[in-house]
Amino acid sequence: MGEFLFNPAPWLPAHDRETLEHVRNVKREDMEYVNENGFSVQVVLDPLLHMVMDCFHRIYLSDVQDTPLTMIFPNQWPGAYSAIANMINRYNINCRNVHAFAMDEWADEEGNVAPLTYGAGLGYSFRKHFYGNIREDLRPSVEHWHVFTNENKGNDIYSEEIARCGDGRADVIYSATGWPGHIAFIDPGVPEFQAESLEEFLKLGSRVTTQHYMTVCENSLFAPMGAAGDVWAVPPRAVTIGPRDVVNARERITMHNITNPGGDSWQKMISRLELYGPISMKCPSSITRLGKGTCYVSEVIARPFGTWPCGLENKDL
């Protein structure tokens, strides 16, 4: 690349060439680690299966040990949530002790939260595919399956509800990483999550926020928006948990597994920036490394980068 150097687009969350080259060149055999905070990276065939097993096991223990359990979930994962619900039903697991929180929801340009009747809504899917598939005699009151609304969208309100249900914090947060390095809709560089330092950033709670350009593009590729690149179908704003909810959780489970049938993926580079770059507000998902947790990276995401700077060969096509 030395013969054609350029600066990345100014709206991208990272620009340091040395960091970018470092994370691109992390080898598969060097990807797994455990850091000083108890956060680990494991390369597996299917991260989503590990999330399903972990979630079911925690809900099972909350029943048999009769202990409270507060969980934060990403959206949308209808296949995973319906599978967990099916196992709950099969093994007669009572969810009376569970408080489940959806981590985000769409909002319009005025900050109005998408209603639960909106078919592409995140709360709609969370309630329908997860809560709605649990047998009625096993599921708690619907108020235990928390979603964002216009009533709880104000700064810190949702975060305070998580803390109230979880004796100060969630027991576990499940998440993935987005194209610009977001976790939930905590996007880099947006006005609602501006802070003077990382310490200040980590204190910010739930709120209505603006979506990064890359987040809008990313979401246009998913099924709820037609999986057609229809960026005009993606709401411009969102409501989300805050960094404080991520770092306060007792444990973090992260999945990096978004790939197309041919193995290509927009998540491959941001996965490396999150896991091997600096912990920074410029890559909000990197804050998961500040506490105990596990990131499950798929073998496909762990593959080496191609050789495009040197010219494509037949084997690369």
Side-chain angles (χ1 to χ4, degrees), residues 12 34 40 65 77 103 119 143 165 169 192 244 267 270 278 294 305 317:
L12 290 171
V34 181
S40 67
Q65 296 178 354
W77 299 91
M103 62 168 48
E143 283 73 25
C165 294
R169 53 185 175 158
E192 295 84 1
R244 95 181 211 196
Q267 199 179 45
I270 200 60
T294 304
F305 278 51
L317 298 174

Side-chain angles (χ1 to χ4, degrees), residues 258-302:
I258 298 177
T259 54
N260 296 324
D264 53 311
S265 173
W266 55 255
Q267 199 179 45
K268 196 169 184 179
M269 182 61 174
I270 200 60
S271 169
R272 282 164 167 76
L273 276 172
E274 173 185 334
L275 299 175
Y276 309 103
I279 297 175
S280 166
M281 294 181 285
K282 294 180 179 180
C283 183
S285 55
S286 65
I287 66 175
T288 57
R289 290 155 50 195
L290 292 172
K292 179 184 177 184
T294 304
C295 180
Y296 294 104
V297 179
S298 74
E299 288 283 3
V300 177
I301 295 290

Side-chain angles (χ1 to χ4, degrees), residues 53-292:
M53 290 186 293
D54 184 275
C55 179
F56 174 74
H57 181 64
R58 291 175 194 267
I59 294 174
Y60 163 77
L61 290 178
S62 77
D63 180 19
V64 298
Q65 296 178 354
D66 197 23
T67 53
L69 176 63
T70 299
M71 317 172 86
I72 303 175
F73 290 93
N75 285 298
Q76 295 185 22
W77 299 91
Y81 296 148
S82 59
I84 296 166
N86 182 54
M87 289 190 292
I88 288 170
N89 295 340
R90 174 172 293 191
Y91 296 106
N92 296 303
I93 308 302
N94 193 297
C95 299
R96 67 193 179 279
N97 294 316
V98 178
H99 278 275
F101 286 81
M103 62 168 48
D104 47 24
E105 182 58 279
W106 309 113
D108 68 14
E109 66 279 6
E110 301 296 333
N112 298 304
V113 178
L116 287 173
T117 52
Y118 179 50
L122 307 178
Y124 169 87
S125 178
F126 189 59
R127 289 266 182 94
K128 176 181 175 64
H129 297 293
F130 199 171
Y131 181 83
N133 279 324
I134 298 174
R135 212 169 65 221
E136 191 171 355
D137 60 311
L138 299 175
R139 65 191 186 203
S141 163
V142 71
E143 283 73 25
H144 278 227
W145 247 248
H146 303 260
V147 296
F148 278 102
T149 66
N150 280 321
E151 285 66 45
N152 63 21
K153 69 179 182 180
N155 286 5
D156 300 329
I157 294 176
Y158 203 70
S159 295
E160 289 166 2
E161 183 67 6
I162 292 171
R164 184 188 68 79
C165 294
D167 192 23
R169 53 185 175 158
D171 292 294
V172 63
I173 176 172
Y174 299 99
S175 67
T177 190
W179 209 341
H182 65 230
I183 179 170
F185 277 120
I186 307 167
D187 272 334
V190 297
E192 295 84 1
F193 284 107
Q194 290 294 317
E196 294 297 322
S197 65
L198 180 61
E199 291 72 23
E200 181 183 326
F201 177 72
L202 297 177
K203 296 176 183 178
L204 299 177
S206 58
R207 63 198 55 219
V208 176
T209 187
T210 305
Q211 292 189 59
H212 192 280
Y213 310 128
M214 294 175 73
T215 297
V216 173
C217 294
E218 170 194 332
N219 281 300
S220 75
L221 302 176
F222 293 142
M225 302 309 169
D230 188 354
V231 292
W232 299 270
V234 182
R237 304 190 75 194
V239 61
T240 179
I241 61 170
R244 95 181 211 196
D245 303 304
V246 178
V247 296
N248 281 352
R250 294 179 176 90
E251 192 166 358
R252 284 141 286 276
I253 304 294
T254 306
M255 300 157 284
H256 293 182
N257 63 329
I258 298 177
T259 54
N260 296 324
D264 53 311
S265 173
W266 55 255
Q267 199 179 45
K268 196 169 184 179
M269 182 61 174
I270 200 60
S271 169
R272 282 164 167 76
L273 276 172
E274 173 185 334
L275 299 175
Y276 309 103
I279 297 175
S280 166
M281 294 181 285
K282 294 180 179 180
C283 183
S285 55
S286 65
I287 66 175
T288 57
R289 290 155 50 195
L290 292 172
K292 179 184 177 184

